Amino acid sequence: ANPVVEVMASVVLPYEAPLAYGCLSIVILVIVWKTVGLAWLPGWDEIFGGPEAQYPRLADPTGHWELLYLLMYGFFGLAAQWCSLRITRYRTVAVEARVIGLFHATLAVHHCLWFARPGLHGRLDIASLPPRAAPCFAISGLWTGLHALRLLGPSSVEAVVRRKTVLDAASFLTFISVFYFWPTNLVGFRRRHWEGPIWELNGAAVVAALVADLVTAGP
């Protein structure tokens, strides 16, 4: 047995269920946000609201990006996280693994296009991100896609559990910035000079999780 692989498994797998439920909660939050809205939630608009928002967004005059995000992050994400929970609870992987793999591969293509076509694809304003954060997000998009493709082919139950747990971890880590921004906005503690490093940590953490898993992956 590879001791490095065993250490990685001991770090990741105990969080399989919490990550599955946590990511499902995030998906439900996204669906509420993209349908009824979250402007009523104190501190939320400071993250996504206007020109001074902490998450830099481009205009969407036609609303088609918002619709795409609802379908992709919301309803497709709900299907993927439901499958993740089914794997956690029942260890059924035949269909579930492919749904999760297709979902994350779709997100990876979308995220890579952010950087291939800055200002033309999606609503994220790449130019406003800290210089060291943008490459991390580009790498994480590519690496997530490669990782997701491994779920589309035949795999053992153990391999599927490991891969989907790491993908859940990557999804959860993409919300590091929100987990910091929202509580500090809520208590009126916004510090703009901290927002750049938080974005950099956000991108680097996702890359680190995926690289660590790929480097220590067993057969």
Side-chain angles (χ1 to χ4, degrees):
N2 186 333
V4 180
V5 173
E6 292 179 354
V7 168
M8 185 66 183
S10 69
V11 169
V12 173
L13 294 183
Y15 297 97
E16 178 194 352
L19 284 169
Y21 281 103
C23 289
L24 179 63
S25 300
I26 290 172
V27 167
I28 292 171
L29 180 69
V30 168
I31 291 174
V32 173
W33 175 31
K34 297 302 181 183
T35 51
V36 300
L38 288 174
W40 50 270
L41 192 63
W44 189 262
D45 266 359
E46 285 189 69
I47 306 175
F48 298 103
E52 296 298 315
Q54 292 153 316
Y55 185 97
R57 297 207 297 171
L58 300 168
D60 182 24
T62 64
H64 77 276
W65 286 116
E66 287 298 289
L67 176 59
L68 175 65
Y69 288 172
L70 173 62
L71 296 175
M72 182 171 61
Y73 290 107
F75 296 122
F76 197 3
L78 184 63
Q81 288 311 131
W82 184 254
C83 289
S84 178
L85 277 176
R86 282 187 57 82
I87 292 173
T88 295
R89 296 181 64 184
Y90 307 116
R91 290 299 192 250
T92 55
V93 301
V95 174
E96 291 85 348
R98 287 163 176 77
V99 172
I100 296 169
L102 185 59
F103 169 68
H104 283 282
T106 300
L107 290 191
V109 171
H110 172 62
H111 293 162
C112 287
L113 286 174
W114 271 346
F115 299 92
R117 306 176 72 233
L120 300 175
H121 182 87
R123 295 201 63 188
L124 179 63
D125 184 4
I126 301 296
S128 297
L129 288 179
R132 287 178 292 188
C136 285
F137 281 112
I139 294 168
S140 71
L142 178 61
W143 226 310
T144 301
L146 295 174
H147 208 89
L149 290 176
R150 300 170 72 191
L151 285 173
L152 298 179
S155 296
S156 66
V157 173
E158 292 77 12
V160 168
V161 169
R162 175 195 174 94
R163 290 165 188 164
K164 77 94 178 175
T165 301
V166 171
L167 286 169
D168 278 349
S171 295
F172 197 80
L173 288 171
T174 62
F175 268 70
I176 286 176
S177 53
V178 175
F179 295 148
Y180 168 78
F181 292 149
W182 183 64
T184 54
N185 292 345
L186 195 60
V187 298
F189 192 71
R190 181 173 182 178
R191 296 295 184 268
R192 295 178 186 274
H193 61 283
W194 290 359
E195 292 173 8
I198 291 295
W199 271 110
E200 292 169 354
L201 174 63
N202 201 152
V206 177
V207 173
L210 293 168
V211 169
D213 182 69
L214 288 172
V215 167
T216 63

